[in-house]
Amino acid sequence: MESKDAPIGAVALRDVGMSDRTGAVLAAPLDALRAAYTAFHPPRTERRRRPEQFGLKAREVAIPAGRGGRTLAGWYCPGERTDRVALLGHGLGLDKSRSLPYARALHQSGHSVLLFDYRNHGDSFRDRGFTGFDRKFAQDTVAAARCTAALTGGARPRLILYGFSLSSFAMLRALRTLHRDVDAVVCDSGPACDPPAISPNLLREGLLTLPERSRDGRAATVAERSFELFNHLTIGGAQWPPAPTAPGYATTPMLFIGGGADTVVPAGEILALARRYPHARTLVLPEARHLRGLWTDKERYTSTVLEFLDSARARTGSSPQAVTEPTRTVHR
């Protein structure tokens, strides 16, 4: 009961404050739903980097990706050898131009490189759907892989699947379909065993934004929990993570790269996933934040990746029985 002596204005202000907080809590699920949709339907951004800025001669390609003339936008950079092509993805809300520094390092070592935009990103087609993007992004990876034979003008080349954050999930899932053609898989800043469980980190770290009303107190808690639920629906997540006994996963060399300062996909989550696979190596750069490993320690990052790819190439054509010990090594 309010005191008879309480100023009328103070009571009114307190009631308004309570009403605002209640309204924010009720609005939080809707704000989370919008954020979940935006995560996989980011607005188009102006591309600021081009291949020639990195010393790369690239050919623009349109990768067939389903019915109705749908295509993924790509850049193909032929290297000294066209019988081995690295497929480079990108992070959530980004595009293929963000992977140009990695493409340059691979190209300088003799690899041919295909960078491509996933659906709803960069210059690729728009998919207005809300669910199943784990499966859809894996399909995009397979589509890019299947166009490499036409790009190289010969037999189907050997492949390196190289994913970053979002695309690391897609690359690892696509291995089930592509394993007969894959020499190695490299995953930077991902993936994790339970994608929806780490999805609130996108909000906490500001990679996705909520209205101010859903950023504090009870409303923020409701928004994060709602976002986790909606993110689970958006991603899908059936049969994740891939079973270590599934075709390809028991024999393909893999390199998982994490950052000790990564608060989006913590290194511990990446290591937990890597331990599932018998031929997985891991590199943890203690000072690196999300997707910043190459910039934090360029020499160590690059040498580890190239040495790993050289060892994977040496195994090409070997039977699984020829590998008697796991190739796991943990760098810290």
Side-chain angles (χ1 to χ4, degrees), residues 199-261:
S199 60
N201 295 342
L202 298 173
L203 302 177
R204 295 166 187 160
E205 299 306 313
L207 298 184
L208 294 172
T209 59
L210 292 169
E212 187 174 352
R213 66 188 178 191
S214 294
R215 296 178 194 170
D216 297 310
R218 177 63 177 165
T221 300
V222 173
E224 285 188 2
R225 292 179 179 175
S226 300
F227 182 78
E228 182 176 343
L229 171 62
F230 293 136
N231 201 246
H232 179 74
L233 295 174
T234 305
I235 295 172
Q239 299 179 342
W240 182 268
T245 55
Y249 296 93
T251 56
T252 302
M254 304 176 186
L255 175 62
F256 294 87
I257 303 171

Side-chain angles (χ1 to χ4, degrees), residues 295-325:
W295 285 264
T296 302
D297 193 339
K298 182 177 180 179
E299 182 177 352
R300 191 176 189 185
Y301 184 105
T302 304
S303 64
T304 300
V305 169
L306 295 181
E307 289 170 7
F308 165 73
L309 294 179
D310 284 344
S311 67
R313 180 167 56 189
R315 293 184 57 216
T316 302
S318 299
S319 66
Q321 291 74 20
V323 182
T324 59
E325 295 182 0

Side-chain angles (χ1 to χ4, degrees), residues 134-184:
D134 61 334
R135 172 181 50 82
K136 292 176 179 179
F137 287 146
Q139 290 173 347
D140 292 346
T141 302
V142 172
R146 287 178 172 164
C147 84
T148 55
L151 294 175
T152 59
R156 184 179 299 176
R158 303 297 300 171
L159 301 174
I160 297 164
L161 305 183
Y162 204 138
F164 305 90
S165 189
L166 162 75
S167 58
S168 68
F169 292 85
M171 295 290 183
L172 192 62
R173 181 178 286 281
L175 179 63
R176 186 180 186 108
T177 301
L178 300 172
H179 66 93
R180 285 185 171 83
D181 299 318
V182 173
D183 276 354

